[in-house]
Amino acid sequence: MFGTVVVGVGIAGLARMRDLMNPLPSSPSEHLKLLGFVSRRSLGNINEAKQISLEDALRSKEIHAAFISTENRSHEETIRMFLEAGKHVLVEYPMALSAKAARELWEMAEQKDKVLHVEHIELLTEEYKQLKKEVAGKDLVKGTLHFTGSVLDENRTGFPAFSGIARLTWLIDLFGDLTVTSATRVKQKDKNYSRMTVHFQTAKE
């Protein structure tokens, strides 16, 4: 069995723990064993999973891989710590807040001979797979993608472009590379309102 730890127990982290504790029959997850989870909050045990400290997770010889599900801004530091400790890493998208940091992490993983996997789980859903079939062979002439949601804490999630960057990968996966032609931002602190509008151009335009 391959010992694992989940770091961060928000929505994504809890989903990871659920899947690790209840793997699908004959799936690769059957070879993974959840040995605990790490959280800044004191949570005790969650079902049969026990809370352990970050230091213990890094030192443990039984833990071979970490599933990182923390806020965007802490991804880079957490990946570095687990790679330095000789662990494989799976991290929720995005891996880091800059391309430079991402390249450094890839190089570090290669030097350590460890797997560093970035997962954008939305691209694996049946709904998305169906969408990809429907647009196969078609060119994007003009379209609008509108995201709504609550205003996020930029200190934890990064600049607004990073808050929604996972969704923007839909467009790249569906229609190829995109070029940013313009971007504007409107922010009204008194109304707790923020909006970013970005215009892209496909390679065929």
Side-chain angles (χ1 to χ4, degrees):
M1 296 293 285
F2 209 67
T4 64
V5 63
V6 171
V7 184
V9 287
I11 295 174
L14 288 172
R16 292 286 180 195
M17 292 172 61
R18 178 201 63 207
D19 293 343
L20 287 167
M21 288 189 286
N22 301 282
L24 293 173
S26 301
S27 71
S29 295
E30 283 193 317
H31 302 287
L32 303 176
K33 182 178 182 180
L34 180 64
L35 297 179
F37 66 90
V38 175
S39 175
R40 289 187 296 263
R41 296 171 290 166
S42 180
L43 300 174
N45 291 357
I46 297 179
N47 296 326
E48 297 178 4
K50 63 178 181 178
Q51 183 168 1
I52 61 177
S53 69
L54 177 61
E55 293 74 18
D56 286 344
L58 292 169
R59 285 196 300 261
S60 174
K61 293 182 179 180
E62 296 181 341
I63 293 175
H64 306 102
F67 288 72
I68 299 174
S69 304
T70 56
E71 65 275 5
N72 295 345
R73 189 170 292 277
S74 68
H75 285 182
E76 178 185 347
E77 180 184 4
T78 311
I79 291 170
R80 287 185 189 278
M81 287 191 292
F82 277 96
L83 287 178
E84 284 286 2
K87 317 291 186 187
H88 302 287
V89 175
L90 180 146
V91 62
E92 306 289 347
Y93 195 94
M95 178 166 61
L97 298 189
S98 74
K100 179 177 181 293
R103 284 192 293 269
E104 290 175 355
L105 292 172
W106 285 124
E107 292 171 1
M108 184 178 181
E110 287 186 3
Q111 292 169 1
K112 297 285 186 180
D113 195 27
K114 297 300 174 184
V115 173
L116 172 54
H117 174 70
V118 186
E119 187 162 295
H120 181 4
I121 201 165
E122 290 177 348
L123 301 185
L124 304 177
T125 63
E126 292 304 318
E127 293 84 354
Y128 181 80
K129 291 177 182 177
Q130 182 59 38
L131 175 62
K132 193 166 185 176
K133 288 180 182 178
E134 292 175 2
V135 303
K138 299 177 181 177
D139 292 333
L140 176 62
V141 178
K142 187 176 182 180
T144 301
L145 194 59
H146 186 209
F147 302 119
T148 60
S150 58
V151 177
L152 300 175
D153 181 355
E154 292 184 25
N155 290 326
R156 301 180 66 189
T157 61
F159 190 67
F162 271 93
S163 300
I165 198 169
R167 297 291 178 84
L168 295 178
T169 55
W170 290 7
L171 294 179
I172 297 172
D173 188 58
L174 293 171
F175 302 107
D177 290 341
L178 302 173
T179 300
V180 178
T181 57
S182 66
T184 58
R185 185 184 184 191
V186 175
K187 191 174 183 180
Q188 299 176 2
K189 287 187 177 181
D190 58 326
K191 296 182 180 179
N192 197 30
Y193 174 83
S194 179
R195 183 184 72 210
M196 174 171 280
T197 304
V198 184
H199 296 275
F200 297 99
Q201 190 174 56
T202 65
K204 294 186 178 181
E205 279 188 338

